[in-house]
Structures are given as structure tokens and as C-alpha cells.
Amino acid sequence: LVLAYQVNVDKQMYDPVRDQMAQARTAEVMEEMGQVNFLFSDKTGTLTANEMVFARCHVGGRDLGEFRKGVDGPGAGMLKARDLMENGKGSD
């Protein structure tokens, strides 16, 4: 019951799309989760809600950095890529 409570109040288990927290309905699931060694996915969106996010890019051996949006705007990689396309060189 303690593990179920921890899942129910864990802020990282919040779903902003549904505006709901996770809700553990059985204690048996918690016991079984500790026994999982491998998790396989067929990329159907079961685990990712069909969201594929371009995260990082390397061009010509050069790491452009993070492309995912942050709270303050586009990632640094996106800004470097824009600069590279517009000016022919990236700013570091």
C-alpha cells in the first residue's frame, strides 16, 4: 500500500494532457514492476502517444546540440542549425 500511495502522489507521474495524476489500483502491479529487466516497444505509440521528437543532431562530425524545446524557447541545436543554414557556418 505504501508503494501505491507513492505512485499516486508522485508529481513526475502527472499527465498534463488529461490533467490527472497516476492512480495505482492494485499493490500487485508494484511487486511485478520490480521484476522487469527489459522493456521492448514496437514503436506503435503505446508508450509514447505517437510523439517522436527530434532531440539531437550531428552534422559533419559536429554536434549541434539539443533540439527539444525548453521553457525559454527552442533548444540550442535548433538555433545553431538556423545559423548554419542562413550564414553557412554555425556559431559556437
Side-chain angles (χ1 to χ4, degrees):
L1 292 176
V2 173
L3 291 175
Y5 171 77
Q6 289 177 334
V7 167
N8 290 343
V9 298
D10 187 347
K11 292 180 182 174
Q12 292 181 337
M13 300 290 281
Y14 173 72
D15 180 5
V17 174
R18 294 188 183 123
D19 191 30
Q20 290 181 338
M21 296 291 292
Q23 183 177 16
R25 295 190 175 106
T26 177
E28 291 177 20
V29 172
M30 301 302 134
E31 293 172 12
E32 292 173 8
M33 281 175 49
Q35 298 174 12
V36 174
N37 289 325
F38 299 97
L39 179 64
F40 297 97
S41 171
D42 61 0
K43 296 292 183 187
T44 60
T46 307
L47 302 174
T48 62
N50 277 335
E51 293 180 20
M52 296 187 76
V53 178
F54 188 73
R56 199 165 194 99
C57 182
H58 291 258
V59 176
R62 185 169 168 200
D63 182 7
L64 295 181
E66 184 67 40
F67 273 66
R68 290 176 282 200
K69 288 183 184 179
V71 292
D72 54 350
M78 180 62 76
L79 299 175
K80 286 182 184 179
R82 283 182 188 160
D83 189 40
L84 185 63
M85 288 188 302
E86 291 172 2
N87 303 318
K89 61 181 173 137
S91 59
D92 284 327

